[in-house]
Amino acid sequence: MKFILSSVASCSNRIGYIKDIERLPGLMLETPMLLLYAKEYFTFCSIHDPAVATPYGFNDKNTISIWPRNGRKQLDPDKYMDMIEAFQPDMYQALCDGDTDLKSSKKRIHKSIDKSLMFFEKCLERHEKSEVLKKSAILGVVEGGYSIEGREKSAKYLADFPVFGYVIDGLHKNGPDVENLTFEDVREILEESLKHLPNEKFRILHGCWNPGTVLSMVELGIDAFDSSYPYTVTERGGALIFQNCINNLNIPSSATDALNAAEPVTDIELKPETSISAQSSSEPPEKKKISTQEASHAEEDKYVVSKTQGHTTESQSSRLNKIYELSLLDEKYAEDFTPLSRSCSCLTCQKHTRAYIHHLLQTHELLGPVLLTIHNLHHYMEFFKSIREAIKSNSLESLKRCVNERNDVS
Amino acid sequence: MGTLKGLLPDQLEALGCQIMLGNTYHLGTRPGPSVIMKAGGLHKFMNWNRALLTDSGGFQMVSLLKLAEITEEGVKFQSPYNGSEVMLTPERSIEIQNSIGADIIMQLDDVVRTTTTGPRVEEAMLRTTRWLDRCLGAHQNAATQSIFPIVQGGLSKALRTESVKQLIQRDVPGFAIGGLSGGESKNDFWKMVHLTTDLLPEDKPRYLMGVGFAVDLVVCCALGVDMFDCVFPTRTARFGCALTCSGQLNLKQKKYAKDFQPIDEGCDCSTCERYTRAYLHTIVTVEPVACHLLSVHNIAYQLRLMLSIRESIEQQRFPEFVCKFMANIYTNKEYPQWIVDALAAVNIHLDPADPTAEN
């Protein structure tokens, strides 16, 4: 398996390709990518489910704990590698102790680094000896919690090993609360982790990051994310409607569609950046009102580039989420016979209405989450297509703006 | 509820489903007839372009609600949502069904448990006829929605006969047989079905309500029934059971943990195409998708069964089909007596020594 990059600047956005996958020759995957690639069931094995909060603690000197259905299990590198050899995934991460977050003590952080390095060496040893894993790629796991020195130590150590790439770990303990972390919370340690890693290697970052944060992380040099975010949105009856590409001018749905953001309506007219984008829309750009546009950007900056260190408050993050999704459980959709999104080509939007989905969710019918999942995954994968196109055409800034603008299509 | 256990309308179409049943009681409550009307009817609300049938809403009330009181006026019960008193009259039932817009609608009937005896049974049967007339009077869409009356009479030959006699005097496009598929013995069950189908006109469809185990379907087709409804295939899917020609598989059982066959080698549904029993064993009753996957299979099984029945009738080999079917289920040829009797009543003979029963 090979990872080929077309740009090599440190800590910046990248376009890449994974190809020559031994089990799936002829398949080529472009990055940045969502670890749910439709084409051919490329498999990646992580340790925990990023959509589910991992209980913390329960680690000892030689093992970490995982939480299958029938109760806690302890894994050491040998047990772990036995499982990996049985699964034979196309790509997998080494066993690691990522049980750190914003609040972790220095002691915990250093333990996690040292243990993870020890695990890594053992896993790599098993990997290199293994017959059945000859076609699989192993990833090193960078730890260090929120300690700059820790990150430096972990990344520098791993940088010399012959791995396919890296998982940047230890920023959180999975689950839907990850949405509450802002990019500013993690920027410094991400930068630190990445700057010591070889540029040409593949980087994954797990977690339920919102689209704005994902874009910022792409800018920093992350190549792959997982689908825990669209999954989490579905679980709460949400439908993603953020603008997931640069071109699409928002088409207002109907007069009754109120804005979802907690902010009062301001006089924004959305305008795509037509000058930079290679694929320009045929419609002329709308005239903007300069003063309100500046005001809206100031608001935006508050969300996207938060100056506050540390945690985002509940209300800030729920307002943030309102930019990206509709809450289909809300009564106001009971008689809304329009699709989730007029510009979406997924089955749900082509064939079903908000009113129907609202009804299904209210009555706890399985079809509700089914239809939402179809839409949310589709929408999110289209988002990743847009990311790749934006990088190629040097218009990531425009995409960022489009994604974070409050969506008048609600 | 406006959906079938998580299956997309597209999937149901692909499985060959021609008609779906919508539950008037539930739909009438949520989302309610007003929303459905605004959507342009249930077909449009669900985006289902084939046929729909709604029941009257009466059965749910009798079976779900303990405080139902039945009078000549209608069925009075306490709304489970806000405790207020609600009256479902024949007129109101038809009104709701008119707004839902299904292709076939049912009269509101006075239904009693099959285990009920005494004058109540006759009262219910006679009242059902009176309510039929009220339903017919209230029906607004005779041109686009077919209304079926429901034969009642419990387990009494005389009452069933009288019920049919009264109902066939009305100008209706088809007939339902109600009040069976409850707690009665199979022996009583088949006799009432047989009696009723003998009396009903041959040129109109007969719909036996609430009957759905595979064996019952085959027997009742032999007895002259044309249409059935049953929650069994999807309900049993929820509990991890898959239906096959040789019976039910309970995929929760440990013996399937390493069974890498599909549910049924001969089944071409999407679940059998891609998934093994072993995989399904790990997810049944745990992951919601298991319910979905098993529902797809069970519906495919049920529809394929009905298709085979139809084909065997068209090809003049229905009796052989029945014998083979029964032999697959009862591999030791120990057929329950009621099945033997019911089939014999229509000249199909299950006999262990019968050469046509051999595979």
Side-chain angles (χ1 to χ4, degrees):
Chain A
M1 196 178 312
K2 294 199 186 69
F3 180 54
I4 298 165
L5 260 192
S6 62
S7 57
V8 285
S10 183
C11 287
S12 84
N13 57 30
R14 309 134 58 90
I15 277 281
Y17 304 85
I18 298 180
K19 55 180 244 182
D20 296 343
I21 301 164
E22 286 84 341
R23 192 176 62 83
L24 303 159
L27 177 65
M28 194 171 72
L29 302 172
E30 261 198 300
T31 67
M33 69 190 252
L34 188 62
L35 287 173
L36 178 83
Y37 220 97
K39 280 188 195 161
E40 274 279 10
Y41 316 113
F42 172 82
T43 55
F44 169 77
C45 204
S46 67
I47 296 176
H48 299 290
D49 180 348
V52 178
T54 312
Y56 39 85
F58 301 101
N59 302 312
D60 66 30
K61 197 153 48 112
N62 299 310
T63 68
I64 60 159
S65 293
I66 57 170
W67 304 86
R69 255 194 313 278
N70 44 12
R72 178 169 86 98
K73 277 205 164 56
Q74 289 180 289
L75 284 184
D76 61 33
D78 272 315
K79 261 209 203 123
Y80 178 68
M81 289 307 291
D82 289 342
M83 286 166 69
I84 296 290
E85 288 196 292
F87 294 157
Q88 294 170 37
D90 296 306
M91 190 187 291
Y92 70 99
Q93 65 178 91
L95 188 67
C96 59
D97 177 339
D99 191 15
T100 54
D101 62 15
L102 270 165
K103 299 184 275 202
S104 298
S105 66
K106 271 202 150 59
K107 184 170 167 201
R108 173 88 279 272
I109 294 173
H110 284 290
K111 266 219 177 99
S112 82
I113 298 172
D114 294 335
K115 268 174 72 180
S116 302
L117 296 184
M118 184 263 283
F119 287 161
F120 170 72
E121 293 198 356
K122 294 208 167 131
C123 290
L124 186 61
E125 200 187 317
R126 281 283 304 267
H127 176 90
E128 288 174 337
K129 279 201 213 136
S130 168
E131 276 304 311
V132 298
L133 292 178
K134 289 227 172 319
K135 298 184 178 177
S136 306
I138 185 172
L139 302 179
V141 185
V142 180
E143 300 289 352
Y146 286 77
S147 148
I148 298 282
E149 312 83 58
R151 289 279 158 188
E152 184 183 349
K153 175 180 178 186
S154 178
K156 271 188 169 160
Y157 182 87
L158 289 169
D160 294 327
F161 284 94
V163 292
F164 185 81
Y166 302 92
V167 174
I168 316 298
D169 196 38
L171 286 94
H172 59 74
K173 301 184 186 183
N174 301 309
D177 284 345
V178 175
E179 269 189 275
N180 296 334
L181 288 174
T182 66
F183 180 64
E184 263 316 293
D185 289 330
V186 303
R187 184 181 54 79
E188 257 196 301
I189 47 154
L190 257 188
E191 275 174 345
E192 189 66 26
S193 308
L194 294 173
K195 85 178 181 213
H196 300 293
L197 294 176
N199 272 325
E200 70 283 3
K201 297 217 167 159
F202 184 62
R203 300 90 168 261
I204 296 180
L205 179 50
H206 291 306
C208 204
W209 312 103
N210 70 46
T213 307
V214 165
L215 281 172
S216 302
M217 291 175 165
V218 163
E219 278 186 320
L220 222 45
I222 301 294
D223 302 303
F225 301 81
D226 61 62
S227 58
S228 51
Y229 175 72
Y231 168 77
T232 301
V233 171
T234 300
E235 288 289 283
R236 58 177 177 236
L240 294 175
I241 41 84
F242 67 90
Q243 197 180 332
N244 61 358
C245 57
I246 295 177
N247 275 342
N248 250 343
L249 288 175
N250 285 320
I251 310 154
S253 211
S254 80
T256 57
D257 288 344
L259 294 168
N260 277 314
E263 304 282 277
V265 184
T266 57
D267 219 351
I268 311 173
E269 284 171 24
L270 300 169
K271 165 187 142 8
E273 210 86 335
T274 50
S275 47
I276 302 173
S277 166
Q279 320 110 60
S280 35
S281 154
S282 54
E283 303 202 38
E286 312 231 25
K287 238 180 151 212
K288 9 173 220 174
K289 299 177 187 178
I290 305 293
S291 52
T292 50
Q293 187 74 357
E294 279 171 2
S296 77
H297 278 303
E299 295 284 18
E300 211 180 282
D301 288 339
K302 188 168 73 176
Y303 293 155
V304 173
V305 188
S306 166
K307 300 285 184 287
T308 62
Q309 291 297 327
H311 307 277
T312 333
T313 61
E314 254 323 318
S315 62
Q316 253 184 306
S317 67
S318 57
R319 258 183 300 155
L320 250 170
N321 295 334
K322 299 279 189 269
I323 299 179
Y324 305 119
E325 70 193 70
L326 304 177
S327 304
L328 261 300
L329 277 166
D330 196 318
E331 263 315 299
K332 68 186 178 198
Y333 296 113
E335 298 185 8
D336 185 342
F337 299 109
T338 62
L340 291 175
S341 163
R342 280 252 157 88
S343 50
C344 180
S345 59
C346 82
L347 181 149
T348 303
C349 292
Q350 295 296 303
K351 299 206 171 189
H352 296 287
T353 63
R354 298 171 177 193
Y356 184 52
I357 297 172
H358 170 80
H359 163 68
L360 294 172
L361 292 175
Q362 290 279 58
T363 51
H364 306 290
E365 280 292 332
L366 194 52
L367 188 58
V370 167
L371 291 178
L372 280 183
T373 299
I374 291 174
H375 169 76
N376 287 338
L377 282 181
H378 176 88
H379 193 91
Y380 210 56
M381 287 175 71
E382 291 295 292
F383 173 48
F384 273 81
K385 264 198 213 154
S386 300
I387 293 178
R388 294 190 287 270
E389 277 159 18
I391 296 176
K392 288 182 200 166
S393 61
N394 205 13
S395 42
L396 209 54
E397 266 310 308
S398 315
L399 182 59
K400 234 174 150 180
R401 226 187 327 268
C402 292
V403 164
N404 287 314
E405 287 283 7
R406 186 186 27 207
N407 198 323
D408 284 323
V409 188
S410 59
Chain B
M1 296 304 273
T3 163
L4 222 108
K5 288 295 167 284
L7 268 62
L8 296 163
D10 302 68
Q11 287 177 292
L12 289 163
E13 263 192 56
L15 285 170
C17 178
Q18 304 288 344
I19 178 168
M20 259 204 274
L21 188 149
N23 193 293
T24 297
Y25 172 69
H26 291 300
L27 289 169
T29 322
R30 293 187 299 189
S34 156
V35 172
I36 297 181
M37 267 183 74
K38 288 191 181 150
L42 185 59
H43 289 90
K44 290 229 162 58
F45 187 58
M46 297 168 61
N47 201 7
W48 171 249
N49 299 316
R50 294 187 174 179
L52 283 172
L53 181 154
T54 45
D55 60 1
S56 65
F59 181 72
Q60 256 70 36
M61 290 190 299
V62 169
S63 63
L64 291 183
L65 303 166
K66 286 165 261 178
L67 302 172
E69 189 197 322
I70 304 174
T71 64
E72 188 61 27
E73 196 190 342
V75 185
K76 190 161 42 152
F77 61 100
Q78 243 185 19
S79 158
Y81 297 97
N82 56 16
S84 63
E85 226 173 50
V86 183
M87 165 66 78
L88 184 71
T89 61
E91 291 79 8
R92 179 73 184 133
S93 168
I94 296 303
E95 191 186 8
I96 300 175
Q97 293 187 74
N98 281 160
S99 29
I100 293 175
D103 304 281
I104 302 178
I105 67 175
M106 306 305 297
Q107 71 155 114
L108 181 66
D109 55 339
D110 184 0
V111 55
V112 294
R113 287 198 170 75
T114 36
T115 42
T116 309
T117 52
R120 174 73 187 110
V121 186
E122 181 172 14
E123 178 194 51
M125 183 272 288
L126 294 171
R127 178 174 292 144
T128 293
T129 307
R130 292 194 292 276
W131 280 3
L132 171 64
D133 288 338
R134 284 167 62 185
C135 287
L136 290 170
H139 186 25
Q140 296 288 320
N141 301 334
T144 51
Q145 295 181 276
S146 299
I147 180 168
F148 280 21
I150 307 180
V151 177
Q152 294 292 355
L155 299 177
S156 153
K157 213 169 142 176
L159 293 177
R160 285 270 167 193
T161 306
E162 182 59 29
S163 179
V164 173
K165 183 162 156 225
Q166 294 184 9
L167 298 182
I168 59 178
Q169 287 166 19
R170 278 81 181 160
D171 180 22
V172 287
F175 296 87
I177 306 170
L180 295 172
S181 86
E184 74 279 3
S185 80
K186 277 297 202 268
N187 211 26
D188 293 328
F189 164 75
W190 81 260
K191 285 179 180 156
M192 287 299 108
V193 174
H194 182 46
L195 168 76
T196 311
T197 52
D198 268 357
L199 296 169
L200 285 170
E202 288 211 342
D203 61 348
K204 295 194 175 164
R206 301 87 168 271
Y207 165 31
L208 181 56
M209 306 184 78
V211 170
F213 291 144
V215 164
D216 299 348
L217 290 174
V218 172
V219 171
C220 290
C221 281
L223 295 176
V225 178
D226 306 303
M227 288 166 60
F228 306 84
D229 76 83
C230 195
V231 297
F232 178 65
T234 48
R235 182 169 290 166
T236 207
R238 236 194 300 153
F239 298 121
C241 287
L243 303 175
T244 70
C245 320
S246 38
Q248 275 188 64
L249 304 181
N250 181 353
L251 289 167
K252 281 202 310 215
Q253 292 175 335
K254 281 209 155 58
K255 68 183 180 190
Y256 297 111
K258 296 190 182 175
D259 186 342
F260 297 108
Q261 301 174 84
I263 294 170
D264 188 339
E265 274 296 342
C267 178
D268 61 359
C269 81
S270 54
T271 301
C272 290
E273 224 185 317
R274 286 164 190 254
Y275 299 98
T276 62
R277 299 172 179 192
Y279 175 70
L280 293 168
H281 169 77
T282 60
I283 58 170
V284 285
T285 71
V286 177
E287 297 286 343
V289 74
C291 178
H292 188 125
L293 292 174
L294 286 185
S295 292
V296 165
H297 169 79
N298 287 352
I299 291 171
Y301 168 79
Q302 205 87 332
L303 293 176
R304 201 170 41 243
L305 174 63
M306 300 312 289
L307 178 65
S308 335
I309 293 174
R310 288 197 296 275
E311 283 179 345
S312 71
I313 294 174
E314 281 168 5
Q315 293 163 16
Q316 316 270 30
R317 51 176 180 81
F318 180 63
E320 291 86 345
F321 170 85
V322 175
C323 293
K324 191 164 174 205
F325 175 85
M326 292 300 172
N328 273 336
I329 303 265
Y330 301 102
T331 43
N332 54 13
K333 306 273 171 80
E334 277 165 26
Y335 304 116
Q337 193 58 41
W338 78 271
I339 295 183
V340 176
D341 293 342
L343 292 172
V346 287
N347 270 319
I348 299 179
H349 297 284
L350 288 182
D351 184 342
D354 189 339
T356 59
E358 305 284 332
N359 282 353

